[in-house]
Amino acid sequence: MATYDLVVIGTGPGGYVCAVRAAQLGMKVAVVEKNATLGGTCLNVGCMPSKALLHASEMFEEAGHSFAKMGVSVSSPKLDLPAMMNFKQQGIDGNVKGVEFLMKKNKIDVLKGTGKILGTGKVEVSADGKSQVVETKNIVIATGSDIARLKGIDIDEKRIVSSTGALSLEKVPGRLLVIGAGVIGLELGSVWRRLGSEVMVVEFLDRILPGMDGEIAKQFQRILEKQGFAFKLASKVTGVEANSKALLAKIEPASGGAAETIEADVVLVCIGRTPYTDGLGLKEAGIALDPRGRVQIDPHFATSLKGVYAIGDVVAGPMLAHKAEDEGVAVAEIIAGQAGHVNYDVIPGVVYTTPEVSSVGKTEEELKQAGTAYTVGKFPFTANGRSKVNQTTDGFVKILADAKTDRLLGVHIIGREAGEMIHEACVLMEFGGSAEDLARTCHAHPTRSEAVKEAALAVGKRAIHM
Ligand code: FAD
Ligand code: NAI
């Protein structure tokens, strides 16, 4: 029986990063993974394949619509979907191999199979009808999440798909109906719209991207509509019937009322994700869940069973890869006796569409609700030189600062490369910096990031280029 300092169950961004950090700190570590490949949702059916398809489909759209105006004359691009899927797969394979390399480099044992917690210090690993029990001083649960399903709508991953099926469609659907205007719906909706689908998004709430700043979400919706997205807000899909030619989706107002039927070729269900704890034996082991089925943890990631911790999508908080990674590092450090910590006030969120949407800290709605006095500085990309010459002027930067102290409370950006631009705000917020600090920091010219500086100047009503 092997004996470890730490066994991590799950090798998504939470699990594998935790394992690497623990190994760096001198622990003898094993990871348990039931999937054929390492890397979890993120590498196999999440962040990475979706970003590969977003990149490839954006290039396709640019070649078709933007090259000519820059004087680059090419014949109309043709879609080779199998080749695009192959491009996606190469990206997945490269990243999965990268995780395998990290396991070897850090001398981490990879135990293939389903992990079950038998009690403090004991994990059973089962695969192909065989099982072994490993002993360990500590256990970290990093088993991630699974797609949330809608009652009465059966996902077959061919015509009625989750994100997993939508990442591998064999042909471009003529009509794609997306249920849920969250991150997955807008990212994968963008992919298939660029490749030729008519996309309609049905959303239960009266707005898209709940949780993001309302003003940003409104402008985002307008831009997506200009691109060809159709939205049906405050609506719910109550059922989908299939005949040999089409899917017939029944849609009702969210508050109830007369239903209408909308035809589609593919329906994408993306209404959120649920924590994944199947097969872990939590109940028998006495590990408590919260009312939403997430593993319950204390501020130090400890579960109700001694020596067992949990991180990532399976616990509370935003279901984001970088949140899982940071928790992985923090819990490894805590187990090693250090002061591991995650600052949940500074976790950026990015939607990788065109334009991108990025956000960190509080939204204007949250500040209003909390009764916090704040000032706002905004700067549009139409007034940013680099954006003007590149003719990519959609969007703006919005900065929210404390009215009394000028401390940065939230930054929200809609525009190309917004996902890269958010990080200067994250660093500043980690240091408790002010809008004035940002406004006085020299920014290279000509960059889109100058719009961030200008928005910070606008907090003090002294933007230069507006
Ligand atoms: P996971 O990545 O889900 O990994 C859990 C692993 O545990 C899996 O490999 C699973 O097989 C394994 N496992 C489960 N139970 C057991 C068991 N009993 N024994 C052994 N192994 C087990 N986040 C972002 O930050 N940016 C993005 O751009 C982004 N894009 C996304 C796109 C899509 C389409 C989806 C679906 C998600 C996306 N996410 C994105 C979310 C991101 O994928 C998750 O937040 C992240 O993967 C969570 O990491 P994790 O380590 O907690 O779990
Ligand atoms: P989500 O939580 O982002 O959005 C789900 C949407 O569906 C919400 O707008 C919700 O109001 C709506 N909804 C819920 N029930 C509905 C119903 N019955 N009918 C119509 N609409 C309904 O979830 P999504 O898009 O499935 O993504 C899951 C998770 O994956 C998210 O938590 C996100 O953090 C993560 N993710 C992150 C990405 C990124 O960081 N770029 C990309 C993709 C996913």
Side-chain angles (χ1 to χ4, degrees):
M1 199 184 291
T3 305
Y4 294 98
D5 295 311
L6 172 65
V7 169
V8 182
I9 308 177
T11 62
Y16 86 76
V17 168
C18 174
V20 169
R21 183 71 189 116
Q24 284 176 346
L25 291 165
M27 288 181 235
K28 185 166 159 42
V29 186
V31 290
V32 184
E33 177 55 62
K34 69 181 176 64
N35 197 23
T37 51
L38 305 182
T41 304
C42 174
L43 269 62
N44 293 283
V45 290
C47 323
M48 304 320 285
S50 60
K51 266 75 257 179
L53 289 184
L54 278 159
H55 177 65
S57 62
E58 189 181 359
M59 294 299 107
F60 178 73
E61 180 153 273
E62 293 264 299
H65 295 100
S66 308
F67 281 13
K69 72 176 180 192
M70 291 187 273
V72 181
S73 172
V74 289
S75 51
S76 225
K78 281 200 199 80
L79 175 65
D80 180 347
L81 190 57
M84 197 177 276
M85 290 297 168
N86 190 36
F87 171 77
K88 176 201 74 175
Q89 194 56 45
Q90 284 173 359
I92 295 174
D93 294 345
N95 279 302
V96 165
K97 280 208 184 87
V99 176
E100 286 167 5
F101 163 78
L102 290 175
M103 297 300 104
K104 275 203 193 98
K105 182 184 166 206
N106 289 286
K107 301 189 173 46
I108 295 163
D109 288 346
V110 175
L111 310 174
K112 284 285 173 78
T114 300
K116 183 176 174 187
I117 298 170
L118 301 179
T120 295
K122 276 200 171 61
V123 177
E124 180 188 70
V125 182
S126 310
D128 307 324
K130 289 187 199 135
S131 64
Q132 59 167 322
V133 176
V134 289
E135 287 204 337
T136 174
K137 289 183 189 138
N138 301 282
I139 299 168
V140 169
I141 301 170
T143 49
S145 62
D146 193 12
I147 45 176
R149 287 155 207 277
L150 258 178
K151 221 172 145 198
I153 300 181
D154 293 330
I155 292 172
D156 60 15
E157 297 295 11
K158 293 269 177 250
R159 293 170 81 193
I160 303 182
V161 297
S162 71
S163 51
T164 303
L167 288 166
S168 295
L169 295 178
E170 281 167 12
K171 66 177 207 212
V172 179
R175 296 157 302 180
L176 173 67
L177 183 76
V178 176
I179 309 179
V183 202
I184 291 181
L186 301 181
E187 286 189 354
L188 295 184
S190 288
V191 166
W192 293 107
R193 185 204 56 73
R194 291 169 188 164
L195 301 182
S197 298
E198 268 176 36
V199 179
M200 170 173 281
V201 185
V202 181
E203 165 60 46
F204 189 79
L205 300 175
D206 60 1
R207 56 163 292 173
I208 68 168
L209 280 186
M212 284 274 189
D213 188 88
E215 191 182 7
I216 296 269
K218 246 190 208 139
Q219 173 147 25
F220 189 37
Q221 186 183 335
R222 275 200 294 271
I223 293 170
L224 291 174
E225 281 167 344
K226 264 205 287 181
Q227 293 175 359
F229 269 82
F231 289 99
K232 243 183 196 314
L233 303 181
S235 302
K236 60 183 176 194
V237 177
T238 53
V240 179
E241 274 174 31
N243 64 32
S244 58
K245 282 206 195 104
L247 298 169
L248 305 172
K250 267 218 170 88
I251 301 177
E252 275 178 26
S255 50
E260 61 175 313
T261 302
I262 290 191
E263 279 195 27
D265 302 299
V266 170
V267 170
L268 164 59
V269 181
C270 44
I271 55 159
R273 295 179 62 83
T274 52
Y276 185 82
T277 54
D278 290 5
L280 270 176
L282 298 187
K283 205 167 170 200
E284 301 90 306
I287 297 174
L289 300 180
D290 73 11
R292 290 171 63 182
R294 303 172 295 200
V295 177
Q296 199 165 305
I297 48 169
D298 73 5
H300 298 105
F301 309 101
T303 71
S304 53
L305 185 66
K306 196 173 171 341
V308 182
Y309 303 81
I311 56 164
D313 278 13
V314 80
V315 302
M319 288 183 166
L320 295 172
H322 41 285
K323 176 258 193 189
E325 288 184 38
D326 283 10
E327 288 181 340
V329 168
V331 78
E333 291 175 351
I334 287 169
I335 291 170
Q338 299 185 354
H341 175 70
V342 176
N343 179 3
Y344 291 98
D345 290 335
V346 186
I347 294 186
V350 179
V351 189
Y352 297 88
T353 42
T354 304
E356 290 184 344
V357 178
S358 64
S359 163
V360 63
K362 302 284 185 230
T363 64
E364 201 164 348
E365 291 76 17
E366 285 170 335
L367 293 177
K368 275 194 182 125
Q369 205 183 7
T372 308
Y374 62 92
T375 43
V376 188
K378 283 188 252 183
F379 193 81
F381 286 107
T382 46
N384 169 264
R386 183 70 180 277
S387 307
K388 271 206 246 185
V389 294
N390 288 356
Q391 297 191 18
T392 51
T393 52
D394 273 340
F396 65 100
V397 180
K398 174 172 178 176
I399 292 185
L400 301 164
D402 189 290
K404 231 203 241 149
T405 63
D406 197 38
R407 188 181 174 138
L408 227 58
L409 300 175
V411 176
H412 308 278
I413 309 176
I414 175 166
R416 292 223 179 198
E417 293 148 47
E420 300 294 337
M421 290 159 64
I422 198 72
H423 296 104
E424 62 171 313
C426 300
V427 173
L428 188 63
M429 286 171 75
E430 279 292 346
F431 283 88
S434 65
E436 174 87 16
D437 291 325
L438 194 44
R440 289 198 181 276
T441 301
C442 188
H443 282 63
H445 176 75
T447 57
R448 294 176 62 80
S449 294
E450 285 173 287
V452 177
K453 173 181 171 150
E454 289 272 12
L457 281 164
V459 170
K461 301 199 175 12
R462 54 194 175 97
I464 300 291
H465 292 90
M466 199 173 57

